[in-house]
């Protein structure tokens, strides 16, 4: 508890200091601004008798602090997650997120350092703005997330084109060995004050060096179907840990629509794995429908090809309700042989969001999830969860 109090004190200090720091340097070639986010989550589970039970719990899910600005024509951002401070026995109390420099050119923007890769609409939407507490199972377990590399993005009013070369290592996850290339393109054929239609395609090619051997982490896809605290409901979709170099091809087709108070988001994604003796495949799809009871519309950020921050129209805030169905399936087999693994996971969610302010939100999600072993024809786990969040960012 003392660590949580210390972290809260850091947030308060940054809130106090940020305006002063920005004011001191805003007129010069160097600028600096503090920011951050606090996400406090809880989960209550209704577990079935199959497998270990998920305990009811709370957590400081995210406690991010960042410093960003300009330095003689270059942009920069340094961001860390201090949520690990709540675990006094953890040796990794601070996790690096965005740590990069940028340079703007007429044709686009260059980014070098550690940053979230251009892959999937659901993962590119900030955790501050997502309709549900959890991203889709595909985005949370297959998307590259934060990696060290270099990227370029060209953004125009109706499209973006971005690409990157990156290491499979990050500042904190240095035992994941390999390299990769990725690209994402988006197009908004319809866009005005009342309506936005988003279409997108994400691609990535990753080369893992000897996963599971010589100190390199194994490669395993195992989503949490009932929220971040549902570790005991995880199921392995594919696993490559025999020390053989493994190639992975990833893709995602994106769709998003905002029309008045209606919001629709859907993606179909996949990943193919090959280590020379085994092959695996993951296929996934989700669809969500949201509705603002108070009449707001989901804003769109054309510079990054994603949906953005909700701004309430009333002092009492904005209310949104949403439904989502999410499914993912993994198969694995020896070359020329029958399947070794065939596991599917599905999730249905109902969500309610209260945006009291543009940077202050309360979330409540009801989740029903099920895992099935398709080879054995049995249900591995069925879990229901009520999850909630208090969220503030600055």
């Amino acid at each position: 508890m003392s660590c949580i109090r210390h972290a809260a004190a850091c947030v308060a200090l940054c809130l106090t200091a940020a305006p002063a720091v920005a004011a001191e340097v805003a007129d010069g070639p160097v600028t600096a601004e503090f920011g951050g986010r606090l996400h406090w989550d809880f989960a209550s589970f209704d577990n079935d008798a199959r497998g270990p039970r998920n305990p009811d719990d709370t957590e400081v899910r995210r406690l991010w602090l960042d410093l960003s600005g300009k330095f003689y024509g270059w942009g920069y951002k340094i961001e860390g997650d201090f949520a690990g401070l709540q675990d006094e026995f953890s040796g990794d109390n601070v996790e690096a997120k965005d740590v990069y420099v940028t340079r703007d050119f007429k044709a686009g923007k260059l980014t070098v350092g550690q940053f979230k890769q251009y892959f999937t609409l659901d993962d590119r939407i900030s955790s501050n703005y997502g309709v549900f507490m959890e991203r889709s199972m595909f985005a949370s377990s297959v998307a590259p997330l934060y990696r060290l590399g270099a990227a370029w993005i060209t953004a125009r009013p109706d499209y973006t084109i971005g690409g990157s070369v990156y290491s499979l290592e990050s500042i904190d996850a240095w035992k994941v060995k390999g390299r990769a290339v990725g690209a994402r393109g988006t197009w908004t054929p319809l866009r005005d004050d009342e309506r936005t239609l988003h279409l997108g395609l994400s691609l990535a090619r990753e080369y893992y060096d000897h996963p599971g051997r010589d100190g390199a982490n194994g490669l395993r896809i195992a989503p949490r179907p009932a929220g971040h605290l549902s570790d005991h409901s995880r199921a392995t979709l594919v696993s490559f840990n025999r020390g053989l170099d493994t190639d992975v091809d990833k893709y995602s087709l994106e769709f998003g629509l905002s029309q008045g108070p209606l919001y629709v988001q859907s993606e179909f994604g996949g990943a193919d794995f090959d280590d020379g003796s085994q092959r695996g495949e993951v296929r996934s799809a989700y669809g969500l429908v949201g509705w603002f009871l108070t009449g707001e519309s989901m804003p769109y950020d054309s510079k990054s090809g994603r949906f953005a921050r909700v701004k309430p129209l009333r002092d009492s805030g904005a209310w949104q309700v949403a439904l989502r169905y999410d499914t993912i399936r993994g198969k694995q087999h020896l070359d020329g042989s029958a399947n070794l693994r065939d596991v599917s996971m599905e999730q249905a969610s109902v969500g309610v969001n209260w945006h009291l302010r543009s940077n202050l939100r309360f979330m409540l999600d009801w989740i029903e999830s099920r895992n099935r072993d398709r080879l054995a024809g049995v249900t591995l786990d069925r879990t229901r969860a009520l999850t909630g969040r208090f969220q503030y960012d600055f």
Side-chain angles (χ1 to χ4, degrees):
M1 291 299 295
S2 62
C3 288
I4 297 176
R5 288 195 294 269
H6 293 162
C10 290
V11 173
L13 178 62
C14 289
L15 281 169
T16 304
V21 173
E24 287 177 6
V25 297
D27 296 331
V30 179
T31 66
E33 183 177 356
F34 278 109
R37 67 188 70 179
L38 170 64
H39 295 178
W40 179 82
D41 292 5
F42 76 84
S44 178
F45 294 99
D46 178 10
N47 302 278
D48 67 6
R50 287 164 284 213
R53 299 173 63 84
N54 296 290
D56 299 345
D57 204 354
T58 64
E59 66 171 343
V60 179
R61 174 75 172 275
R62 298 179 181 93
L63 181 56
W64 294 14
L65 297 174
D66 68 77
L67 181 68
S68 61
K70 298 288 185 180
F71 185 83
Y72 293 95
W74 288 81
Y76 70 88
K77 187 174 184 179
I78 303 171
E79 183 176 58
D81 185 359
F82 293 80
L85 292 175
Q86 64 189 307
D87 183 359
E88 299 184 8
F89 302 100
S90 173
D92 300 318
N93 289 330
V94 180
E95 181 180 356
K97 296 299 182 180
D98 282 325
V99 182
Y100 60 72
V101 295
T102 64
R103 183 81 178 193
D104 289 320
F105 300 89
K106 288 184 178 180
K109 175 184 284 190
L110 172 69
T111 302
V112 179
Q114 176 168 293
F115 51 91
K116 183 172 281 191
Q117 300 302 308
Y118 303 147
F119 192 82
T120 81
L121 174 62
D122 202 34
D123 192 52
R124 292 298 298 159
I125 295 175
S126 168
S127 59
N128 287 328
Y129 313 147
V131 176
F132 287 91
M133 289 175 54
E134 308 299 336
R135 293 184 168 93
S136 67
M137 289 186 284
F138 183 78
S140 62
S141 61
V142 178
L145 304 180
Y146 293 92
R147 295 291 183 265
L148 293 161
W152 176 272
I153 185 169
T154 297
R156 298 293 182 262
D158 58 348
Y159 73 88
T160 69
I161 299 175
S164 63
V165 292
Y166 58 96
S167 169
L168 296 179
E169 294 179 304
S170 65
I171 294 173
D172 300 292
W174 54 271
K175 291 184 178 181
V176 181
K177 305 297 184 181
R179 62 209 178 279
V181 295
R184 178 174 182 255
T186 69
W187 180 40
T188 50
L190 297 174
R191 179 134 188 260
D192 54 40
D193 292 340
E194 294 295 326
R195 178 177 56 181
T196 298
L197 174 62
H198 165 101
L199 302 174
L201 171 64
S202 300
L203 300 170
R205 172 80 168 180
E206 298 181 343
Y207 304 89
Y208 286 82
D209 295 339
H210 49 77
R213 179 171 59 85
D214 297 336
N217 286 347
L219 174 56
R220 175 173 173 255
I221 306 299
R224 298 178 176 94
H228 190 251
L229 291 167
S230 66
D231 273 323
H232 292 164
S233 291
R234 299 177 82 160
T236 299
L237 302 180
V238 296
S239 178
F240 290 81
N241 58 7
R242 300 191 303 163
L244 300 176
D245 292 351
T246 303
D247 299 340
V248 185
D249 291 308
K250 301 179 179 181
Y251 63 87
S252 178
L253 299 170
E254 310 171 6
F255 173 85
L257 173 67
S258 175
Q259 183 162 347
L262 174 67
Y263 178 66
V264 180
Q265 181 181 320
S266 180
E267 292 184 81
F268 172 78
D272 294 314
F273 304 76
D274 186 357
D275 71 358
S277 67
Q278 291 189 63
R279 296 178 183 269
E281 65 178 47
V282 171
R283 299 290 182 267
S284 181
Y286 74 87
L288 72 83
V289 179
W291 185 271
F292 283 100
L293 303 176
T294 44
E296 287 79 6
S297 295
M298 188 71 77
Y300 188 78
D301 179 4
S302 60
K303 293 182 178 180
S304 54
R306 60 183 178 179
F307 292 89
R309 183 187 298 276
V310 174
K311 297 180 179 180
L313 298 175
R314 300 170 175 79
D315 291 340
S316 58
W319 286 87
Q320 182 186 35
V321 295
L323 301 172
R324 180 176 68 185
Y325 177 75
D326 185 9
T327 180
I328 191 168
R329 184 172 179 176
K331 298 180 181 180
Q332 189 168 350
H333 58 87
L334 294 171
D335 281 350
S337 301
N339 285 340
L340 301 172
R341 178 184 284 115
D342 186 352
V343 176
S344 65
M345 310 172 75
E346 60 181 0
Q347 175 205 97
S349 305
V350 179
V352 179
N353 299 322
W354 179 28
H355 301 260
L356 183 57
R357 298 289 183 269
S358 61
N359 65 337
L360 178 61
R361 179 168 66 160
F362 298 88
M363 307 178 71
L364 196 65
D365 294 349
W366 170 256
I367 303 169
E368 167 127 8
S369 68
R370 180 180 300 185
N371 304 341
R372 284 188 57 81
D373 184 333
R374 297 279 179 170
L375 294 180
V378 298
T379 297
L380 301 173
D381 179 84
R382 184 173 183 180
T383 298
R384 299 179 179 92
L386 178 66
T387 64
R389 171 179 296 166
F390 164 82
Q391 172 182 310
Y392 173 72
D393 71 272
F394 62 95

